[in-house]
Amino acid sequence: MNNDGYDYDLIVVGGGPAGSTAATLVAMQGHRVLLLEKETFPRYQIGESLLPSTIHGICRLLGVSDELARAGFPVKRGGTFRWGRNPEPWTFAFAISPRFASGGATAYQVERMKFDQILLDNARRKGVTVRERCAVVDVVEEAERVAGVRFDDEGGDRRTVRARYVIDASGHRSRIHQRIGGDRHYSDYFRNLALFGYFEGGKRLPAPNSGNILAVAFPSGWFWYIPLSDTLTSVGAVLRPEALDRVREGDRETVLRQLISECPMIADYLAEATRVQSGPYGDVRVRKDYSYIHDTFSRPGMLLVGDAACFIDPVFSSGVHLATFSALLAARSVNTCLAGELDEASVFEEYEARYRREYSLFHDFLVAFYDMHQDEDSYFWTAKRLSDDDVASAVEAFVQLVGGGGSQDHALLDADSYLRVRGEAFRELADVVQEPVSETGEDRDLLGASMLKEVLKEGVRMQTQAALGRNADELRPVRPGGLVPSEDGMHWRLPDPGHRDA
């Protein structure tokens, strides 16, 4: 133990993208960081489709861009959707700031075992002490403050280690997230389940979109179709909770095959494919309770990061973005506290406000996007039938049903007020999506819609910081009394006197 009474400045629980990112960005500032991971890497994980902000923002800040380029992951230039009234699939391409038009408007489809290993190995190289096969079982509390963790080490012995700060980045199965206080709230409507497996030999979209994620709506929900290599494809159905009974009645393999047969486009793409039967991709898996958010993301000495704090339905591939974005915000907060620059309460408040804001933007986008799932037999339209109110439109019923579960934005509790604020953005997005398609795969200017511009705004800022090596475009706080990033983007600071208001 060091003279300050702490073994480390920061303990990070969980070695996925959120944990490895937060640990690395704090260690790069010269601080003592311990990362505890309960499994042995490489390990299986879902969440394979990434956004440009992670690749060209976070990964560049971490110094792994070249390694990712050498990994041979399929390049994703956008997304292709069979969604809305259009009978033919349509595509959007990432259109980031013009300064990144050549190199920053793409992402990767990744095998998470490989991607997460790259990030964790990089954390080691950057000075993080990484211990695998160490399961954290509780936090250490001192004077109502989190001051460390208790964990079972590689040999099964119970250990206690102290630190100034603890970050829980251990995902939706976190064993310690409840120690933050409050409860985890699941969305009343986005409480879906996913049934998914892996296939060899599936078709690919025509070039240049062969690396895109394909999302196809069908009456029971929607399918993802993600190319992970020239031959390997991740295929999953996102379904209403009632479908769990269907899974229980039959084996998962049979149910997945039945669902595929109900979605002609996916059935065609898999017509000559075979499901992987062995190894880490050999199981047909289920994940439940897709969308949730915790009452609070922080307490003295501790932060929830990534899926430990919240998660949203993955139709726009937001999972790793939200995880790594929150890790950057958390690292700024911890770095600022360790440097003695600002008080803990204000930087933790900044962290939570910004992460909730980003989550809310994705939540709003999903409300709008799911309302355009036009099949009248679809469960997305059951909101209209379930509503007790004689509302004017399905979207109002949908908002009332989705309502307060997700972002905790009070506007969402009242569909009328919510639509007054967001209605124009909803209509703008609908106009883009519902425009007739003249040919399969035709590009849509989806990113021209104001709602999606808002969704990608923070990602563009991350890319700007990574490309320029400094914070160049965020000088005003995002909320009254808020903070702004430092010049290097690794701390928080007070805004300049002329920029105190959001």
Side-chain angles (χ1 to χ4, degrees):
M1 186 173 293
N2 290 275
N3 292 333
D4 61 6
Y6 293 100
D7 303 288
Y8 293 91
D9 297 310
L10 170 67
I11 296 171
V12 176
V13 183
S20 59
T21 295
T24 302
L25 294 177
V26 173
M28 289 171 66
Q29 295 289 301
H31 303 301
R32 303 163 295 161
V33 182
L34 170 67
L35 187 153
L36 298 172
E37 165 58 47
K38 68 177 180 179
E39 298 186 48
T40 302
F41 277 41
R43 54 86 176 97
Y44 173 81
Q45 185 60 270
I46 192 64
E48 299 126 335
S49 192
L50 306 187
L51 296 181
S53 57
T54 301
I55 302 303
H56 303 289
I58 290 294
C59 289
R60 190 164 180 173
L61 290 172
L62 297 175
V64 296
S65 296
D66 291 343
E67 192 171 356
L68 289 177
R70 292 192 298 268
F73 297 127
V75 175
K76 170 186 174 182
R77 66 181 293 269
T80 299
F81 289 82
R82 168 60 186 91
W83 202 280
R85 296 190 185 98
N86 295 312
E88 299 295 332
W90 52 270
T91 294
F92 78 91
F94 292 120
I96 311 300
S97 171
R99 74 183 75 172
F100 303 117
S102 60
T106 59
Y108 293 126
Q109 313 284 19
V110 299
E111 293 183 64
R112 285 287 303 275
M113 289 188 295
K114 297 177 181 179
F115 178 76
D116 292 8
Q117 184 75 66
I118 288 172
L119 297 190
L120 190 63
D121 288 344
N122 181 65
R124 290 187 175 96
R125 291 194 299 270
K126 294 298 196 303
V128 177
T129 300
V130 176
R131 295 186 64 177
E132 299 177 70
R133 301 181 302 283
C134 291
V136 173
V137 296
D138 203 355
V139 301
V140 174
E141 289 186 315
E142 296 177 0
E144 299 185 354
R145 178 182 180 82
V146 173
V149 299
R150 295 184 180 88
F151 68 97
D152 294 333
D153 68 12
E154 301 92 324
D157 295 324
R158 182 65 50 88
R159 305 288 187 185
T160 298
V161 62
R162 299 181 71 252
R164 293 180 179 274
Y165 293 97
V166 171
I167 286 178
D168 180 13
S170 55
H172 71 287
R173 294 180 177 175
S174 166
R175 299 175 67 178
I176 61 170
H177 75 274
Q178 291 180 329
R179 303 289 270 138
I180 210 82
D183 297 308
R184 179 180 286 182
H185 298 279
Y186 292 90
S187 170
D188 291 334
Y189 201 76
F190 290 126
R191 197 168 186 175
N192 304 326
L193 79 89
L195 179 69
F196 55 98
Y198 295 81
F199 292 78
E200 284 281 353
K203 292 183 181 179
R204 293 291 178 260
L205 290 162
N209 299 322
S210 58
N212 280 11
I213 182 175
L214 174 63
V216 182
F218 74 118
S220 293
W222 65 275
F223 267 98
W224 76 67
Y225 189 94
I226 302 174
L228 299 179
S229 72
D230 290 341
T231 61
L232 180 65
T233 309
S234 171
V235 180
V238 178
L239 311 162
R240 62 184 181 273
E242 291 79 5
L244 183 59
D245 293 333
R246 186 174 177 180
V247 175
R248 286 171 178 158
E249 291 171 0
D251 66 274
R252 294 176 179 180
E253 168 86 24
T254 299
V255 174
L256 182 58
R257 289 288 183 184
Q258 290 172 345
L259 291 166
I260 290 170
S261 70
E262 295 170 15
C263 186
M265 186 173 185
I266 296 299
D268 175 63
Y269 269 61
L270 293 175
E272 298 180 6
T274 58
R275 191 180 70 79
V276 178
Q277 300 283 340
S278 61
Y281 298 134
D283 295 329
V284 175
R285 301 172 183 264
V286 172
R287 177 165 174 181
K288 299 180 291 182
D289 295 337
Y290 254 64
S291 300
Y292 57 83
I293 192 166
H294 205 82
D295 280 328
T296 181
F297 297 172
S298 66
R299 61 172 289 190
M302 182 177 175
L303 293 167
L304 299 182
V305 168
D307 293 359
C310 56
F311 188 77
I312 194 73
D313 184 291
V315 70
F316 197 62
S317 307
S318 58
V320 176
H321 163 73
L322 288 172
T324 56
F325 173 68
S326 66
L328 171 62
L329 300 179
R332 286 176 182 167
S333 299
V334 172
N335 287 337
T336 303
C337 290
L338 292 175
E341 296 166 337
L342 293 170
D343 65 281
E344 180 182 298
S346 65
V347 298
F348 278 19
E349 183 180 358
E350 188 69 26
Y351 164 75
E352 182 154 348
R354 286 181 180 252
Y355 193 18
R356 285 187 182 277
R357 181 173 178 268
E358 189 76 351
Y359 180 93
S360 297
L361 291 175
F362 277 93
H363 181 277
D364 285 4
F365 174 80
L366 288 168
V367 170
F369 203 69
Y370 271 150
D371 182 61
M372 288 176 278
H373 192 300
Q374 291 293 334
D375 191 316
E376 290 294 339
D377 293 327
S378 165
Y379 81 96
F380 299 111
W381 277 74
T382 60
K384 180 70 173 176
R385 295 189 289 272
L386 289 175
S387 174
D388 293 329
D389 297 326
D390 185 19
V391 294
S393 69
V395 69
E396 289 179 280
F398 188 86
V399 170
Q400 287 176 347
L401 196 59
V402 175
S407 66
Q408 296 192 341
D409 183 339
H410 291 296
L412 297 184
L413 299 177
D414 179 353
D416 292 334
S417 65
Y418 181 47
L419 288 172
R420 281 195 297 272
V421 174
R422 304 299 278 164
E424 183 176 350
F426 273 39
R427 289 188 293 272
E428 181 187 31
L429 182 64
D431 287 343
V432 174
V433 172
Q434 306 294 14
E435 181 182 348
V437 177
S438 60
E439 60 182 62
T440 299
E442 177 182 313
D443 270 1
R444 280 278 174 275
D445 185 20
L446 191 63
L447 283 85
S450 60
M451 181 169 283
L452 201 51
K453 285 181 179 177
E454 291 180 27
V455 164
L456 295 177
K457 190 173 183 178
E458 291 297 340
V460 174
R461 285 175 171 166
M462 290 159 58
Q463 289 182 249
T464 303
Q465 178 187 331
L468 301 180
R470 58 188 175 86
N471 167 48
D473 65 349
E474 192 177 358
L475 302 177
R476 299 175 65 91
V478 299
R479 61 192 178 89
L483 307 174
V484 296
S486 61
E487 178 71 10
D488 65 0
M490 291 294 106
H491 299 73
W492 298 114
R493 67 173 179 83
L494 295 172
D496 295 334
H499 298 293
R500 291 291 176 140
D501 297 323

